[in-house]
Amino acid sequence: MNWKDFVDQQSKQEYYKKLFSFLKEESKQYKIYPSQKNIFNAFKLCPIENIKAVILGQDPYFNPNQAHGLSFSVLPGIPKPPSLVNIFKEIKEDLNIDPPNHGCLESWANQGVLLLNSILTVRAGTQGSHRNKGWEIFTDEAIKLINSINKPIVFMLWGNFAKSKSKLLNNPKHLVLQSAHPSPLSAHNGFFGCRHFSKANQFLKNNNIEQINWKINDQ
């Protein structure tokens, strides 16, 4: 199954119809992030057959011009949010790779890193405003589908919300890495020093899968 087939299948479900009815009404009154064309960006940039790793986020960024459909990522020219700054700090510590001058993670997606938020939209300025509207059902189904893939995949679960998805992951072929969230509030409680990036590459190497180049070129 490819992502188009998956979305087509989900779009026939009652929860999905209710979700898009909600989004239609919501967009009449409020600005929604990311823009409509970017909601499914994580899937567009990382076809299911390419997936090597999954980095799971929660909500999109809710400030102007930040969210573009990839968890933790912002477009070039937008200041790096604190969690992303800490992700780059951990990569520097783990792999001695210097942080780029921007926060766009598309090069990871293009190599097979699915940068998936559990909730794919948010009302401008209001964190968590689209929780429990149906997106969690959609992305849980996507996670279950990835779990069923018969090749080794790395899952990086950062923070309690992402860790709660580990119950969906029972395929012994996969590697599930868990740590604290990279936000400034919790990064010192186990995100820093987790070495997930080198662990992911070692796992891929051990399974004869091309490793991920975590270095992002400056713009």
Side-chain angles (χ1 to χ4, degrees):
M1 181 181 286
N2 59 32
W3 286 131
K4 183 183 181 304
D5 293 338
F6 171 76
V7 174
D8 287 348
Q9 183 187 71
Q10 296 304 309
S11 68
K12 296 179 174 67
Q13 306 297 319
E14 197 56 37
Y15 86 85
Y16 191 97
K17 293 172 185 173
K18 286 181 181 172
L19 168 62
F20 273 80
S21 176
F22 160 76
L23 291 174
K24 190 176 177 183
E25 290 306 308
E26 179 87 340
S27 64
K28 289 175 183 175
Q29 299 181 65
Y30 306 102
K31 192 160 187 58
I32 292 175
Y33 298 135
S35 64
Q36 192 171 350
K37 69 179 172 65
N38 286 335
I39 289 173
F40 294 110
N41 237 2
F43 301 99
K44 289 177 191 166
L45 293 178
C46 186
I48 196 162
E49 63 273 14
N50 291 1
I51 296 175
K52 298 176 185 176
V54 179
I55 297 179
L56 194 63
Q58 189 165 357
D59 295 292
Y61 297 124
F62 57 87
N63 290 322
N65 303 316
Q66 286 186 312
H68 67 116
L70 303 179
S71 61
F72 296 103
S73 180
V74 291
L75 288 169
I78 306 301
K80 287 177 268 191
S83 291
L84 185 55
V85 170
N86 285 342
I87 289 168
F88 288 140
K89 281 182 184 173
E90 174 59 22
I91 291 173
K92 172 66 175 172
E93 184 67 28
D94 187 9
L95 295 167
N96 198 29
I97 292 172
D98 290 325
N101 62 4
H102 64 94
C104 183
L105 306 181
E106 285 187 4
S107 73
W108 293 358
N110 291 333
Q111 294 178 75
V113 182
L114 184 69
L115 295 157
L116 181 64
N117 278 317
S118 188
I119 298 146
L120 298 188
T121 57
V122 69
R123 182 191 299 174
T126 312
Q127 187 175 10
S129 46
H130 289 182
R131 287 180 194 167
N132 302 317
K133 302 296 183 185
W135 279 129
E136 293 94 334
I137 301 171
F138 178 84
T139 52
D140 278 3
E141 289 302 315
I143 292 166
K144 288 178 194 172
L145 177 59
I146 300 164
N147 177 64
S148 73
I149 294 173
N150 194 32
K151 74 169 190 182
I153 293 170
V154 184
F155 291 83
M156 299 187 195
L157 308 182
W158 300 334
N160 289 335
F161 180 83
K163 287 178 191 176
S164 73
K165 305 298 181 182
S166 64
K167 65 182 183 289
L168 305 174
L169 304 171
N170 60 7
N171 187 332
K173 281 190 174 290
H174 303 325
L175 175 66
V176 180
L177 300 172
Q178 303 187 44
S179 77
H181 194 276
S183 78
L185 293 173
S186 55
H188 288 281
N189 294 328
F191 178 76
F192 289 138
C194 71
R195 306 188 77 87
H196 279 188
F197 303 94
S198 61
K199 287 175 180 175
N201 271 355
Q202 188 61 53
F203 175 76
L204 294 172
K205 183 180 179 182
N206 291 347
N207 285 283
N208 299 311
I209 297 168
E210 188 178 359
Q211 297 175 67
I212 295 155
N213 179 9
W214 296 107
K215 179 176 172 58
I216 295 172
N217 293 328
D218 286 342
Q219 291 280 334

